[in-house]
Amino acid sequence: MERSMKNSTILILLVALCATASFFFFNAISSNAKEPDESEIHKLFGTYFRAIKSGDVDTAIQLVIDTRWNDLKSQREGYQAAAKEDVIYSAKVVSISPQNDVKYGTIYNAKLNVKNKTNGEFEIILPVVKVNGNWKILIQPVDLPPAYSDVVSFVD
């Protein structure tokens, strides 16, 4: 009887452990799939643009997945140079729309109404993706016409 009680206790503990692990696993997946709140994304871009403008490249780098750089040193140098340019000083999220992506699963394209001194007011679309529970701006290389090269100097 004592042996069967030990086995029952072990079985109950294993079931409870599996249930707890499953809860955390499925909760993590569903929280990553949740569409971003517009205020979260507005805050993300605001923090990012303030960091670039103030020269706080470490904060800016933490907020992005920037695929244009081969290493952190080059990325840091690029961001330091961008801080000296006519960067965007105002950004407002206009809309967010989901898009399937082979590498990242679901990404969300954030359409931003932005302003800078050189070009005035204009719109850009920058994708965001959730990684390890945190929203990040996904910056990928793009070919821009010459007239727009200084518009996005914050990402060069």
Side-chain angles (χ1 to χ4, degrees):
M1 177 113 179
E2 189 175 313
R3 184 177 180 163
S4 120
M5 193 169 199
K6 283 183 183 179
N7 288 342
S8 295
T9 304
I10 291 172
L11 181 62
I12 290 171
L13 288 173
L14 285 175
V15 168
L17 180 63
C18 288
T20 303
S22 296
F23 170 77
F24 286 113
F25 176 75
F26 288 113
N27 190 35
I29 289 173
S30 65
S31 67
N32 281 341
K34 182 183 171 198
E35 186 167 331
D37 181 278
E38 203 167 293
S39 64
E40 290 177 294
I41 301 308
H42 186 75
K43 182 179 176 183
L44 171 67
F45 282 110
T47 303
Y48 173 75
F49 291 131
R50 279 190 303 277
I52 292 291
K53 185 177 180 180
S54 70
D56 183 0
V57 296
D58 292 324
T59 296
I61 288 170
Q62 290 174 12
L63 299 173
V64 300
I65 299 171
D66 195 332
T67 63
R68 298 167 305 154
W69 308 101
N70 292 329
D71 57 65
L72 186 58
K73 181 181 180 221
S74 299
Q75 184 180 7
R76 184 172 275 115
E77 289 169 357
Y79 280 46
Q80 288 169 338
K84 297 173 185 169
E85 301 288 326
D86 181 17
V87 297
I88 292 171
Y89 61 87
S90 170
K92 181 181 179 189
V93 176
V94 177
S95 65
I96 301 169
S97 58
Q99 175 185 335
N100 289 327
D101 184 81
V102 174
K103 184 173 182 178
Y104 296 102
T106 302
I107 61 174
Y108 294 89
N109 290 317
K111 182 189 265 187
L112 303 169
N113 184 336
V114 295
K115 294 179 185 178
N116 73 357
K117 190 163 78 171
T118 304
N119 300 292
E121 191 171 321
F122 56 97
E123 286 187 346
I124 58 172
I125 295 176
L126 289 172
V128 294
V129 63
K130 199 164 202 179
V131 177
N132 297 327
N134 297 308
W135 290 105
K136 303 234 179 206
I137 302 166
L138 178 59
I139 303 174
Q140 300 172 325
V142 293
D143 292 324
L144 296 173
Y148 290 106
S149 62
D150 58 342
V151 171
V152 289
S153 62
F154 67 94
V155 294
D156 287 337

